[in-house]
Amino acid sequence: MKLLQKAFLLIALVLLCGVSYAQDGKQRWQIELKKIALDVTSTEVKHAKEYQDFSDARLNGDSQTAVRGNLDAISDYHAEHYLWTNELLMDYGRTKIRPVEGETLTNENADKILFTTGYTQRLWKVENFLGGFEAGPFANLGYETEFTKPDNSPRTRILRGTAGVKMFEGKYLKSLFAAVVGERDFTYSPNSTKLAWEAGLKIEQPVREGVTAKYSALFRDYLSASEKRPTDLDYEFTADARLEVELYKNLHLAPFISYYTAQAKDFGTRGENIYVGVSLSFSHIFKEAK
């Protein structure tokens, strides 16, 4: 809880640095496909069995195909004194390995569906700090699940409520927040009610015309749970960095690295996942707030 108090205090101090009431900015609905991306890699090795004694992996390696898709869509209502946000995130990745001998193996490396709706009060507007941004309290309600049920566990089903303070809509600072989180986990029976706190960050930095560096991070620390299970997490952290290059209008190419780590409450070994790749993505604004 001390870290949560420090995060709230830091944001409050920044807001006192020359703020004014937020009365301008965008108005009405903005409907946007922020990103739809597809990453595909395929390696087809023929006659690998005959070349097992050769040292070149291009001749004796396993054939494999990796596919990952990502969608991020928003429908936000911008008003004079508040912002109503609705966002749908979908992420799915699958790798199929066809060894020289043995059965074909299929492995999921990403599987998540997340819908959130939230209200943010536009209380302050900072003009000359960190490129400018707005700020205020917010509250979100979200539901998280997945496309396919894992082999050895039930399908994820989590209802999550979040409330805190946030900086947003800046030139560079797209989001910086600290919040209290309440979860109702329906994945296992009986259901579990969890309490946590979290902090998140999204930054965009123009490098040159048509090239933008994007960074994001989220840390969530679980404080308590009504039902104790071996699958309970102590904390989790995710971060993403990418260099987005405009190829043609709304078509972008982005080399990226994504990192996820989590610590279970019942044992000391920390799990990690690192995903490095190049993403081809498309974005489009269907209706722009003015």
Side-chain angles (χ1 to χ4, degrees):
M1 291 298 291
K2 291 183 178 180
L3 288 176
L4 178 60
Q5 293 171 356
K6 291 180 180 179
F8 275 110
L9 180 60
L10 176 61
I11 293 179
L13 290 174
V14 172
L15 295 179
L16 294 176
C17 298
V19 299
S20 60
Y21 194 74
Q23 294 182 331
D24 56 354
K26 297 178 180 179
Q27 299 288 315
R28 302 192 179 183
W29 284 100
Q30 176 150 325
I31 302 173
E32 179 180 354
L33 176 63
K34 297 185 70 175
K35 180 178 66 174
I36 182 168
L38 182 65
D39 311 329
V40 180
T41 60
S42 180
T43 302
E44 187 69 31
V45 183
K46 294 184 178 181
H47 309 297
K49 187 174 182 179
E50 288 82 353
Y51 284 87
Q52 285 302 296
D53 294 332
F54 287 71
S55 60
D56 195 330
R58 293 171 296 181
L59 296 173
N60 58 26
D62 295 332
S63 298
Q64 55 185 291
T65 301
V67 179
R68 183 171 181 175
N70 181 277
L71 181 142
D72 185 359
I74 64 169
S75 177
D76 297 345
Y77 186 79
H78 297 253
E80 184 177 8
H81 300 310
Y82 69 88
L83 175 65
W84 175 29
T85 60
N86 301 277
E87 184 172 18
L88 175 64
L89 287 168
M90 295 192 294
D91 189 21
Y92 185 78
R94 179 182 286 263
T95 301
K96 179 180 287 187
I97 301 175
R98 302 181 297 280
V100 178
E101 296 180 348
E103 297 181 357
T104 298
L105 304 175
T106 300
N107 179 52
E108 287 183 348
N109 48 49
D111 190 352
K112 183 177 183 180
I113 302 173
L114 176 62
F115 174 76
T116 58
T117 182
Y119 176 90
T120 302
Q121 189 71 32
R122 302 168 69 178
L123 287 184
W124 301 281
K125 186 174 182 65
V126 178
E127 300 284 358
N128 300 313
F129 184 72
L130 298 177
F133 54 86
E134 295 185 42
F138 77 96
N140 290 341
L141 184 65
Y143 181 71
E144 180 180 339
T145 185
E146 52 191 344
F147 287 96
T148 61
K149 173 186 164 310
D151 293 336
N152 301 317
S153 61
R155 187 189 304 270
T156 298
R157 294 182 300 128
I158 300 174
L159 184 65
R160 183 179 295 118
T162 307
V165 290
K166 175 168 62 173
M167 306 174 191
F168 60 99
E169 295 286 312
K171 180 179 180 181
Y172 307 113
L173 186 61
K174 300 304 177 182
S175 177
L176 173 62
F177 72 89
V180 176
V181 183
E183 287 187 357
R184 186 66 173 175
D185 191 344
F186 298 94
T187 305
Y188 300 91
S189 182
N191 303 332
S192 180
T193 299
K194 301 178 181 180
L195 178 65
W197 75 271
E198 68 179 24
L201 172 71
K202 290 183 180 179
I203 296 176
E204 294 186 10
Q205 173 64 54
V207 178
R208 57 179 175 82
E209 185 177 357
V211 181
T212 304
K214 296 184 177 182
Y215 310 95
S216 64
L218 176 69
F219 177 79
R220 181 178 295 134
D221 183 20
Y222 287 92
L223 305 175
S224 65
S226 62
E227 299 289 335
K228 304 297 184 182
R229 295 192 176 93
T231 55
D232 286 344
L233 293 178
D234 186 20
Y235 66 84
E236 58 182 336
F237 172 77
T238 182
D240 182 272
R242 61 188 61 226
L243 188 65
E244 196 168 87
V245 180
E246 181 180 331
L247 298 179
Y248 178 75
K249 292 185 178 180
N250 296 330
L251 189 64
H252 299 84
L253 188 70
F256 69 92
I257 179 170
S258 296
Y259 176 74
Y260 175 78
T261 184
Q263 173 65 63
K265 283 186 176 294
D266 285 354
F267 52 88
T269 304
R270 181 166 53 89
E272 291 183 304
N273 182 298
I274 300 176
Y275 194 89
V276 180
V278 177
S279 175
L280 183 65
S281 64
F282 174 80
S283 62
H284 180 70
I285 298 177
F286 297 98
K287 180 178 176 60
E288 186 172 7
K290 302 296 184 181

